[in-house]
Amino acid sequence: VSLDASRVQDLSDEELMARYARGEETAFEVLVSRYRKPLFGFLARYLGRTDKAEDVFQEVFFEVIRVRTRYRPGHRFASWLYRIARNRAVDRLRRNGFREMESLDDPLEGAGGETRLGTIAGSNPDPEAVVSGGQLAKVLDRALASLPPEQREVLWLKERSGLSLSEVAELLGVSENTVKSRLRYALEKVRSQLLEHGFAP
Amino acid sequence: MNCKGAEEIFIEFLYGELDPERTEALRAHLGVCPACAARLNELARVREMVSQRPDPEPSSLAVQRVLAHARGEGTVHRPFWGLGWLKAVIPLCFAVIIGGWIVFQYTLTEQAKAPPALRQRAEEQTRPPQAPLIKEGPAPQTAPEPEKAKEFLPAQPRLDETPSAGKLGRAERPEASSESGPSLSPEKGSIQEETKVRVMPKEAERLRAPAAPSLIAPDVPTEPAPTRTTAPLKGRQLPATPPASDKGVEATGRAMDLEARPKIAAPAPLAQAPGVGGAAAPSVSSLMEEGEAFLKAREFQQAEEAFSQALHRLPRRHPDRPRALLGLARANEDLGRYGEASRLYETLADESPAHRDEALRKVRELGSRGD
């Protein structure tokens, strides 16, 4: 029995994944549409480059496809998905020796020399950035990108996965207190960089 | 609650995970501690800004690839396309392809051991058509030759009977071509016409040599190989004109460029018509043969193009897909595109159980090399 589109849209992630594991491709498409943006957001922010994020994004879903029958329906889908994503991203960063995070002004892939920061800031609808002519956005992005990988990882996982602090801790294999302190350090560091550039949060 | 206790629960509060009881306690503390209130307020603003920063989005191509991948995988689970069927056929295909490849490599290696003899033979074959080019029955050998070379060089007249045959023959060869080819189809003729303007004289001559009646004969061990010295390697002349013959023209011209050419890697693949049909577009099999030849010639860019085209035309689940994937992965790897290569090896691992272990090993290996 095939469900109509609206009903599929209403299903939980876990139910969708279970259906996909049984061969229902529509369920997978709904999952991709749900996680396309947040997952890519996490990857792009964590990896610092959209071209690498694009690679890993595909790898993550290819992995989901490959191991779909191993998904346990009782397990939270977002945890499972972001665990795969995080592992892939860590591999990618290791492979690149973190060097890609060195320069925040690395040109975006195919972006005609425009910098990643410039691009993101330029497309920013945030009123804060409009008020400050995009400068705040630039400083903010630079501060975020300069965070140590383990802080960046926790920060963007928490922001873009929808997982709880304890779920993030479990995913990363660290204590919840570690997650909280990394988040705290990350926010503090961003705050101090904003202050350094004259932006009072 | 004191300041230390309050700070310990800032994060939970900021991310909405503080239970109501402790939230109330925190509020009570903030009411009496402006420093903590200001601190928390700043962190809350930072968190809000972070949260609201727009992210770049994946390209639609990436999303489409993912969805296409899922669709392809999904077919595996349809009852009609049972996995058992694939499991049986794919390894078989590869056993045949790889077996043929190994045999072919061996024969080429053996053949390469005797270039001077082959050269002489080739010179012999270029003498005028009036001369007894093809003789029935065995002829005396000029000099001892390695066994393999004999196999490829059917009976020939003595070398010293036609000392200056080469140049003369070249001029007159075109006459011989159309009449003497036993089964030259019009299409093939036209391909040869098209080809000759792009290839070296010797190559052109080879192409014009009396054509082979048994182009796809399974017992013909060699095919003409692409020559890196001729410019249009990408051109279709490579797979389009294998003048394999059982009539003594086997080695004509071919030996002349023995050193320059890369080896053709595989015999005609299982599921494809050989690329000699004269159609305008090259067959998938000839594309892959080209690709493999380019790989051997270390022309990875061209190999990549050939395999890309081949892969593009192979539907999912086609038994030749793994071969194309493997070729494309190798080309990308050699081009230093480790990310792409790794992805291709992964796809290969997905699609072909026979290649899974090796492909995954490559993925791991590439993982340690970096981009």
Side-chain angles (χ1 to χ4, degrees), chain B residues 6 22 31 59 97 118 199 221 230 241 266 279 304 341:
Chain B
R22 287 193 297 164
S59 70
I97 289 170
L118 286 172
V199 297
T230 56
T241 56
E304 196 265 348

Side-chain angles (χ1 to χ4, degrees), chain B residues 93-110:
Chain B
C93 293
F94 276 89
V96 172
I97 289 170
I98 292 166
W101 186 79
I102 290 167
V103 167
F104 193 70
Q105 288 298 299
Y106 175 73
T107 57
L108 281 174
T109 309
E110 289 298 307

Side-chain angles (χ1 to χ4, degrees), chain A residues 4-193:
Chain A
D4 60 76
S6 61
R7 277 196 60 199
V8 175
Q9 291 287 352
D10 293 341
L11 293 171
S12 70
D13 295 344
E14 290 71 27
E15 175 62 19
L16 287 168
M17 189 58 215
R19 282 167 184 262
Y20 175 55
R22 295 196 296 267
E24 202 176 304
E25 284 164 27
T26 320
F28 180 74
E29 286 167 17
V30 175
L31 284 171
V32 172
S33 73
R34 272 184 202 175
Y35 281 93
R36 186 178 67 93
K37 284 173 86 168
L39 179 69
F40 191 80
F42 163 67
L43 292 170
R45 291 289 183 176
Y46 180 42
L47 293 165
R49 285 185 45 153
T50 51
D51 53 352
K52 302 298 169 200
E54 190 118 314
D55 269 12
V56 178
F57 175 81
Q58 292 177 80
E59 288 173 11
V60 170
F61 277 115
F62 289 172
E63 178 87 3
V64 168
I65 292 165
R66 177 162 62 225
V67 300
R68 64 192 176 281
T69 53
R70 280 185 248 156
Y71 172 73
R72 287 177 292 126
H75 200 81
R76 181 157 180 196
F77 173 75
S79 272
W80 190 66
L81 177 71
Y82 278 86
R83 185 192 302 273
I84 293 172
R86 184 262 177 180
N87 290 342
R88 292 279 173 164
V90 167
D91 284 350
R92 174 53 70 107
L93 278 188
R94 279 198 194 122
R95 208 186 297 171
N96 296 330
F98 296 92
R99 64 171 180 268
E100 278 154 4
M101 289 309 300
E102 294 301 313
S103 167
L104 299 170
D105 293 327
D106 275 349
L108 263 183
E109 148 196 53
E114 198 173 18
T115 65
R116 185 181 73 85
L117 292 171
T119 304
I120 294 173
S123 62
N124 179 20
D126 185 352
E128 289 274 3
V130 175
V131 180
S132 56
Q135 272 304 110
L136 172 59
K138 282 190 180 180
V139 173
L140 181 58
D141 278 337
R142 187 160 291 143
L144 288 165
S146 67
L147 293 173
E150 68 276 4
Q151 290 176 23
R152 218 165 56 229
E153 172 183 73
V154 168
L155 184 68
W156 291 110
L157 259 182
K158 187 73 192 84
E159 287 297 341
R160 299 297 190 245
S161 70
L163 296 173
S164 69
L165 293 167
S166 62
E167 286 170 324
V168 169
E170 192 197 337
L171 188 159
L172 296 174
V174 298
S175 73
E176 196 175 330
N177 278 337
T178 303
V179 167
K180 283 190 264 185
S181 61
R182 284 181 187 171
L183 278 171
R184 177 73 189 268
Y185 289 137
L187 294 177
E188 293 279 8
K189 193 170 174 189
V190 171
R191 171 186 155 275
S192 69
Q193 289 212 16

Side-chain angles (χ1 to χ4, degrees), chain B residues 23-58:
Chain B
T23 304
E24 202 48 51
L26 179 62
R27 285 194 197 284
H29 176 74
L30 296 176
V32 296
C33 181
C36 278
R39 189 79 162 172
L40 183 60
N41 203 33
E42 281 184 352
L43 291 179
R45 278 296 297 138
V46 171
R47 198 254 148 159
E48 193 188 344
M49 281 191 275
V50 169
S51 192
Q52 290 179 357
R53 287 300 293 131
D55 295 322
E57 290 187 29

